[in-house]
Amino acid sequence: MNMLRVKGRVRGWFSRPANVILLIFFVTLVFLTLYPLLSLLTETVTIHTGREARAAKEAAGTVSLYHFQRLFATAENDYSWIQFYQPFLNTLTVSLSSSLIAIAFGGVVAFLVTRTNLRYKKFISAVFTFPYIMPAWTLALFWETFFKNVNIGLKTSNGIMASVFHFFMPEWFVYGAFPIALVLGLHYAPFAYILIGGILRNMDANLEEAATILKTKRARIIWRITLPIVKPAMLSTFLLVFASSMSAYSVPVFLGSPVRYYVLSTKMKSLMDSYPGQAYIIVGVMILFGVAILLLNQRVTNSRKQFTTVTGKSGQISRINLGKANRPVALLLVIILLMVAVVPLVTFAMESVIVKAGDYSPANMTLDFWIGTNLDQRLDQGDSTGILLNPKVWNALGFSLGLAVTCALVAGTSGILVGYGVAKRRGSRLADMVNSLSFFPYLMPSLAFGAIYLSMSSSFPWLRGFLLLALVGSVKYLPFASRSGVNAMLQLSGEIEEAAVITGVPWWKRMLRVIFPIQKSTFLSGYLLPLVSCMRELSLFVLLVPTSNTILTTMLMQYSEKGWAQFGNAINLLIIVVVLLINFIVNKLTGASIDKGVGG
Amino acid sequence: MPEIRLKNVTKRFGKFVAVDNLNLDIESNAFITLLGPSGCGKTTTLRMIAGLETPTEGSISIGDQVVFDAEKGINLPPNKRDVGFLFQNYALWPHMTVYQNIAFGLENLKWDKKRIRQRADELLHMLHIEAFENRYPSELSGGQQQRVAIARTLAPGPKVLFMDEPLSNLDAKLRMEMRTELKRLHKDTDSTFVYVTHDQLEAMTLSTKICIMNGGVLQQYAPPLTMYNAPANLFVADFMGNPTMNFIDCKVKAEGDRAELSFGDVGCVFHAKGEIRLKGDTCVLGVRPEFVRIGGEGHPATVYSTLPAGMETTVKLNVGDNLLTAVVFGDVDYPADSQVHFSFTDRAILFDREDGGKSAAEGTVKLL
């Protein structure tokens, strides 16, 4: 009797698709995220072969707390200071300032676009997400090529600012904390714009009007009413930008390393080759940081002050009249956006056609790096053909595209399923855990994530090449997809599915014919974001690719390391154009957009 | 005491005319209701008076101050108009406690702390929400939020109070209760109330005068009972009263203040209070359900359905092609399809469709 009841209960539990989905994802995600974490922990207490074993004076494979002691508490030659504390402080500085820049810039623009009668709104909101769609290093590379000069950094050559305008920027402006924070801030400002803009757009205008009626001054309304209400969105932005900036690798490499300004991510990369144990500890510190911010974020947003869901007549938003300030503010924004989003592209195009660096006269220009042949006889520049005639480039492009599409399909579909399961079983412990687990990869620095999977793959011989890259990419981008999936599902009333259940429509058909079509554009955004991110991903794959010619981004890295600047710039431009094109086509065809993926 | 005056106020959103050439005088101390179906321009009108919306044309004055004049380019911002506004969704600030919500407006007026405390306590007590002083809005029920919103609006003691469907988010029982309290509040605060609703019963029971609108155009502006008994046109007659008035298309022979009407095989005679102004030989006879009697002498009819509600019973009758509604007091039940006799007992109105449904005459009607 009792046995029967238990059996019935179990069968009942499993008859709900949401439960089965959650269980499957729970098990898979535990393996794909917690297992790497565990292996990370073991690495931090294991002595590795080579220099590490020699330095520790212990046999390889020994379990020891040597790495901790060495990294955290070695006063000799300021070792700990140089290897850990200084980069740690730098990371804090850079991540904090970039978060503040992103929130301030993105938030102000979001406010201007949603709440005022600003001019050129359409252009501004269209171009504002560009910096995020483009690879982060784009801006960094642009900053460097634009402002560098022979007096600072590697002292190699003059950029456009120095050679054309004869303006020699000081070092702090071109390299170090300032440009890194600024570039990252600008790159992630779209997050703030999308998240804060979403709240501002949906915020009940009556809340502000109620204050106006009670004789509140404009500034006080913004300070006491508007800001507190967008606070949760600002905190979410802070979490995303801080975590992303902390794990950003390419930007500090381009703008920090030339002047020996290291952050945790670049330090980790340089330690990885010789002292992997210490590198893994740094990874752990970074993850701890991410988790701490995540917990803080949850605490603050789950407080008593949450929003009442009664909606009013919000269609009647009264927009602030900017008056005389309108045109100057709009023009300033347009100029900034052009600088951030369009000028870099022009610069890369320029840099990819000049023969001798620093000389921007027409006589010095050639299309050889794009479509030339027999280049090795004429130029001292590696490959013999321009990149558009180079089969290696086309192979890499094909591989990159294939990889991006695969990751997008896997991550996007998983995201929808996770969203379905979490929304249907909202509040249950399993749903909460799957929800957190699916966000966890976001907090793992890409480079470290790649490193861990590399070490994991040694235990699974079949996990190599494309399969390994696709798996890493899918897991890493799952957070985007699951966020938009959960958001899409939460917006959907349960009755819509129940109406189909009553008439006996099977589960897969309900998903395909009822749920997916209704939230199509949000779901598709869950595919688009991984696709775009994967296309321009470097740090996640850099350790995992079989050869550096495998994907476009590592190829770019290799070319710029070898100093083949023109090829590098050409490939960079190729990547950006492909990514923008994909984004544009998908957006036009399906209505999916990056902002829906992030904001939901 | 402020008197609110709207002159030729028009509001256009692009090509859409939300409010069309509205003229309205609101006496001081009145409780005015703007009534109409959704999209009729009533909320827009209210928001224009409050200053939350800018009219396209016309002028508005509150008391002896012109707060808006399109020609003279006067447009006082809402915070300079000395008004209170109660929003449909309450618009309580989610990040402030009940006390902070109430005190916020007083802080803006630079009141000292002690005085704010005093005034807030007064309001908390008046609206029976002392116990929730330190709670956040999300921790309150709909009715409690409503009270907090009222307290917040009343705190600075506005002489004019605007309310935008404040009861529509409450359940039926609570709505009834709040109606009583709003009416009491109107008396106690000595202010002018302008109230927006689409609920005719709310308008009937609360207001001193109702302004009924349709498609941005004022239909009638009159005290509730006048509007009920002498509606200006078919729209007003149809909107006021529940169950709705019977509208019967008739052939008519009118002469002076007397008219002979016929519909189907029913004939009746109408005595008007004044002259009957009809353009053609047809009209619409409007009879309130309470003036349709069942039983006794009369014309035969078939019962279509009976809806007993305890205190009264609504009976639907088939008379030829017409479906008439009658209200009978007490719980009488008529089986469906049974035969009864009906007659008209008292008041009726004639409307002229050819004249845009305008009221043509008021009077009494009797079956022949």
Side-chain angles (χ1 to χ4, degrees):
Chain A
M1 187 62 191
N2 221 349
M3 217 25 224
L4 268 180
R5 266 180 72 166
V6 172
K7 238 185 193 170
R9 265 196 173 177
V10 169
R11 197 176 301 144
W13 196 86
F14 277 101
S15 72
R16 295 187 61 178
N19 289 332
V20 180
I21 291 171
L22 285 178
L23 192 67
I24 292 172
F25 272 98
F26 180 72
V27 174
T28 321
L29 286 173
V30 162
F31 184 74
L32 289 175
T33 59
L34 292 192
Y35 183 85
L37 202 62
L38 212 66
S39 70
L40 172 81
L41 279 178
T42 14
E43 299 283 1
T44 61
V45 290
T46 310
I47 305 289
H48 300 82
T49 47
R51 281 171 77 176
E52 206 169 276
R54 285 199 295 281
K57 298 195 180 76
E58 284 191 75
T62 323
V63 172
S64 139
L65 287 178
Y66 164 79
H67 305 310
F68 285 90
Q69 188 261 325
R70 176 86 181 138
L71 188 67
F72 292 143
T74 307
E76 180 194 338
N77 296 332
D78 287 339
Y79 182 86
S80 293
W81 175 248
I82 291 168
Q83 302 294 336
F84 181 75
Y85 294 108
Q86 180 71 63
F88 179 79
L89 288 180
N90 289 345
T91 294
L92 270 189
T93 317
V94 164
S95 304
L96 269 177
S97 4
S98 66
S99 306
L100 293 181
I101 291 170
I103 291 173
F105 185 46
V108 165
V109 174
F111 182 84
L112 288 173
V113 168
T114 54
R115 280 298 154 96
T116 71
N117 60 345
L118 186 75
R119 281 159 186 262
Y120 318 126
K121 262 184 205 175
K122 264 202 165 140
F123 173 82
I124 290 171
S125 60
V127 178
F128 204 82
T129 43
F130 263 41
Y132 183 70
I133 298 168
M134 295 194 289
W137 74 73
T138 315
L139 258 184
L141 213 57
F142 162 67
W143 191 271
E144 193 190 11
T145 41
F146 199 82
F147 292 115
K148 74 178 173 185
N149 56 59
V150 290
N151 301 332
I152 54 171
L154 299 175
K155 304 184 176 168
T156 46
S157 59
N158 280 330
I160 295 176
M161 199 67 178
S163 56
V164 178
F165 300 105
H166 303 288
F167 223 83
F168 291 76
M169 289 313 210
E171 189 167 281
W172 64 265
F173 186 84
V174 187
Y175 295 106
F178 170 72
I180 296 177
L182 187 68
V183 163
L184 287 172
L186 287 175
H187 180 65
Y188 292 115
F191 276 177
Y193 174 74
I194 291 161
L195 291 173
I196 297 173
I199 299 268
L200 283 175
R201 207 166 282 135
N202 296 329
M203 176 182 154
D204 183 2
N206 288 348
L207 292 175
E208 286 174 348
E209 286 172 355
T212 311
I213 293 270
L214 289 171
K215 303 182 192 302
T216 322
K217 294 210 169 65
R218 254 281 141 208
R220 193 166 136 91
I221 292 181
I222 292 176
W223 189 247
R224 291 286 309 273
I225 310 286
T226 318
L227 273 183
I229 284 169
V230 296
K231 202 171 78 181
M234 287 177 18
L235 284 169
S236 305
T237 313
F238 184 79
L239 165 76
L240 290 175
V241 179
F242 194 94
S244 309
S245 303
M246 187 176 62
S247 57
Y249 171 69
S250 47
V251 175
V253 159
F254 283 122
L255 297 178
S257 302
V259 291
R260 305 187 153 274
Y261 183 87
Y262 292 107
V263 292
L264 287 180
S265 58
T266 47
K267 202 77 219 172
M268 173 191 72
K269 175 74 167 43
S270 69
L271 280 173
M272 191 60 94
D273 294 329
S274 39
Y275 303 104
Q278 294 174 40
Y280 284 121
I281 293 177
I282 294 184
V283 176
V285 170
M286 290 161 83
I287 293 173
L288 276 183
F289 236 105
V291 173
I293 295 170
L294 179 66
L295 290 178
L296 191 79
N297 192 45
Q298 271 176 357
R299 254 190 79 120
V300 179
T301 47
N302 283 346
S303 75
R304 303 160 66 199
K305 308 179 190 181
Q306 60 184 264
F307 304 98
T308 41
T309 43
V310 189
T311 49
K313 301 176 171 176
S314 299
Q316 303 156 319
I317 290 180
S318 47
R319 297 208 155 85
I320 304 169
N321 190 349
L322 289 180
K324 277 182 185 160
N326 199 329
R327 198 184 282 267
V329 171
L331 280 177
L332 181 72
L333 272 178
V334 169
I335 291 171
I336 293 177
L337 286 177
L338 285 178
M339 284 296 287
V340 173
V342 180
V343 175
L345 302 188
V346 178
T347 316
F348 294 132
M350 295 262 282
E351 296 284 334
S352 72
V353 294
I354 56 170
V355 182
K356 206 168 127 271
D359 177 1
Y360 297 95
S361 63
N364 191 32
M365 291 187 182
T366 169
L367 280 179
D368 280 350
F369 299 104
W370 288 88
I371 50 170
T373 48
N374 299 324
L375 294 183
D376 36 0
Q377 291 164 22
R378 289 184 282 149
L379 303 157
D380 179 27
Q381 279 279 1
D383 289 349
S384 63
T385 55
I387 65 156
L388 293 183
L389 299 177
N390 189 342
K392 277 194 294 184
V393 173
W394 287 104
N395 283 339
L397 177 63
F399 196 96
S400 284
L401 274 175
L403 183 63
V405 169
T406 312
C407 289
L409 284 179
V410 176
T413 310
S414 307
I416 294 173
L417 292 176
V418 167
Y420 176 84
V422 168
K424 286 282 144 186
R425 304 281 295 124
R426 186 167 17 155
S428 76
R429 190 174 297 170
L430 187 63
D432 284 348
M433 281 194 297
V434 171
N435 197 15
S436 310
L437 276 175
S438 70
F439 188 71
F440 189 72
Y442 194 90
L443 302 174
M444 287 256 209
S446 299
L447 202 63
F449 205 62
I452 298 167
Y453 268 76
L454 183 67
S455 76
M456 239 172 87
S457 71
S458 58
S459 340
F460 307 97
W462 47 269
L463 195 58
R464 266 186 291 122
F466 186 81
L467 205 61
L468 177 62
L469 292 173
L471 179 71
V472 173
S474 304
V475 177
K476 180 69 190 170
Y477 297 125
L478 180 63
F480 292 130
S482 70
R483 279 193 121 210
S484 63
V486 171
N487 281 329
M489 287 306 307
L490 284 179
Q491 283 166 10
L492 209 63
S493 121
E495 287 148 22
I496 286 174
E497 196 196 351
E498 281 158 10
V501 174
I502 292 287
T503 48
V505 182
W507 177 78
W508 60 270
K509 212 168 176 181
R510 297 201 298 265
M511 287 301 281
L512 281 180
R513 301 290 299 277
V514 179
I515 293 172
F516 192 85
I518 295 176
Q519 289 291 37
K520 197 179 83 184
S521 72
T522 314
F523 281 140
L524 284 172
S525 311
Y527 285 99
L528 180 62
L529 209 55
L531 186 74
V532 166
S533 313
C534 196
M535 218 26 231
R536 57 165 170 67
E537 180 64 67
L538 170 67
S539 34
L540 182 64
F541 297 136
V542 70
L543 297 172
L544 300 174
V545 286
T547 71
S548 45
N549 285 341
T550 310
I551 57 173
L552 274 184
T553 47
T554 51
M555 204 165 175
L556 162 71
M557 195 71 193
Q558 181 202 18
Y559 279 27
S560 50
E561 269 167 11
K562 288 190 180 167
W564 302 342
Q566 292 90 334
F567 281 129
N569 280 309
I571 291 179
N572 197 359
L573 196 60
L574 183 69
I575 295 174
I576 297 168
V577 168
V578 169
V579 168
L580 287 177
L581 216 60
I582 291 176
N583 185 57
F584 179 76
I585 292 170
V586 174
N587 181 245
K588 280 289 158 250
L589 287 184
T590 66
S593 65
I594 296 283
D595 28 316
K596 287 200 185 111
V598 179
Chain B
M1 277 305 144
E3 178 188 26
I4 302 168
R5 190 164 290 177
L6 280 74
K7 266 194 217 140
N8 305 326
V9 170
T10 296
K11 173 71 184 177
R12 281 186 286 267
F13 294 103
K15 277 191 179 160
F16 173 71
V17 182
V19 175
D20 195 3
N21 199 28
L22 179 67
N23 286 287
L24 200 63
D25 276 1
I26 298 171
E27 297 92 359
S28 63
N29 260 330
F31 194 137
I32 299 298
T33 306
L34 301 173
L35 179 67
S38 53
C40 73
K42 53 192 191 306
T43 296
T44 309
T45 304
L46 189 73
R47 290 171 59 89
M48 286 193 295
I49 308 175
L52 296 170
E53 204 87 68
T54 310
T56 320
E57 275 161 42
S59 69
I60 300 172
S61 58
I62 299 178
D64 23 306
Q65 190 175 32
V66 178
V67 293
F68 178 84
D69 193 315
E71 307 246 294
K72 292 180 192 150
I74 300 171
N75 188 10
L76 232 57
N79 47 356
K80 299 261 164 65
R81 294 192 185 189
D82 243 335
V83 296
F85 201 111
L86 195 60
F87 293 90
Q88 179 182 15
N89 58 343
Y90 323 139
L92 293 176
W93 299 305
H95 56 288
M96 296 187 196
T97 60
V98 167
Y99 179 80
Q100 288 168 330
N101 261 288
I102 297 173
F104 190 80
L106 304 176
E107 287 166 24
N108 291 330
L109 297 175
K110 305 255 160 25
W111 285 23
D112 62 70
K113 278 222 169 94
K114 229 172 96 192
R115 210 169 139 215
I116 293 178
R117 181 76 247 183
Q118 221 172 5
R119 176 68 178 150
D121 283 340
E122 208 178 298
L123 287 157
L124 288 166
H125 176 74
M126 180 164 131
L127 289 150
H128 315 292
I129 42 175
E130 299 104 318
F132 314 124
E133 189 187 314
N134 292 317
R135 291 216 199 155
Y136 287 98
S138 62
E139 298 163 332
L140 300 176
S141 73
Q144 291 159 352
Q145 290 186 19
Q146 170 71 270
R147 285 162 196 276
V148 178
I150 294 175
R152 182 180 72 180
T153 312
L154 290 179
K159 282 286 141 222
V160 186
L161 199 60
F162 298 123
M163 289 173 269
D164 186 4
E165 306 200 25
L167 306 185
S168 64
N169 284 327
L170 301 179
D171 61 60
K173 196 160 177 286
L174 208 53
R175 203 177 303 168
M176 195 61 206
E177 204 175 289
M178 286 308 296
R179 255 183 232 156
T180 320
E181 298 205 19
L182 277 182
K183 198 146 186 179
R184 186 72 219 175
L185 209 63
H186 176 239
K187 188 183 177 306
D188 292 347
T189 53
D190 225 17
S191 332
T192 307
F193 279 26
V194 184
Y195 189 99
V196 161
T197 182
H198 59 258
D199 182 341
Q200 56 92 19
L201 187 62
E202 220 162 88
M204 286 288 291
T205 49
L206 288 176
S207 355
T208 55
K209 239 175 163 185
I210 297 174
C211 163
I212 190 163
M213 297 175 75
N214 187 31
V217 180
L218 175 72
Q219 304 290 318
Q220 191 171 3
Y221 180 46
L225 287 176
T226 311
M227 197 161 274
Y228 185 79
N229 292 321
N233 56 36
L234 275 173
F235 176 82
V236 176
D238 188 31
F239 205 86
M240 303 299 295
N242 186 28
T244 46
M245 198 179 223
N246 291 295
F247 295 112
I248 310 158
D249 278 298
C250 298
K251 285 201 180 107
V252 62
K253 262 187 244 158
E255 225 187 284
D257 60 353
R258 189 173 177 282
E260 280 182 28
L261 313 169
S262 66
F263 62 96
D265 58 349
V266 185
C268 31
V269 62
F270 182 87
H271 287 283
K273 283 183 189 165
E275 202 183 341
I276 302 170
R277 306 165 302 268
L278 278 171
K279 288 193 169 173
D281 56 357
T282 60
C283 72
V284 178
L285 171 68
V287 184
R288 292 272 175 211
E290 58 267 36
F291 301 130
V292 177
R293 193 183 69 184
I294 297 177
E297 300 253 306
H299 195 275
T302 316
V303 174
Y304 181 73
S305 67
T306 312
L307 310 166
M311 194 161 72
E312 84 279 321
T313 303
T314 307
V315 187
K316 296 272 185 184
L317 299 172
N318 262 326
V319 182
D321 293 338
N322 290 291
L323 190 64
L324 297 188
T325 312
V327 171
V328 183
F329 279 88
D331 51 348
V332 219
D333 201 0
Y334 297 96
D337 292 331
S338 60
Q339 293 291 319
V340 293
H341 286 83
F342 83 94
S343 54
F344 298 129
T345 56
D346 198 358
R347 286 202 293 256
I349 298 162
L350 292 190
F351 299 97
D352 191 357
R353 273 203 209 278
E354 283 173 45
D355 197 12
K358 265 193 198 148
S359 163
E362 294 154 29
T364 54
V365 71
K366 287 259 160 29
L367 287 179
L368 272 177

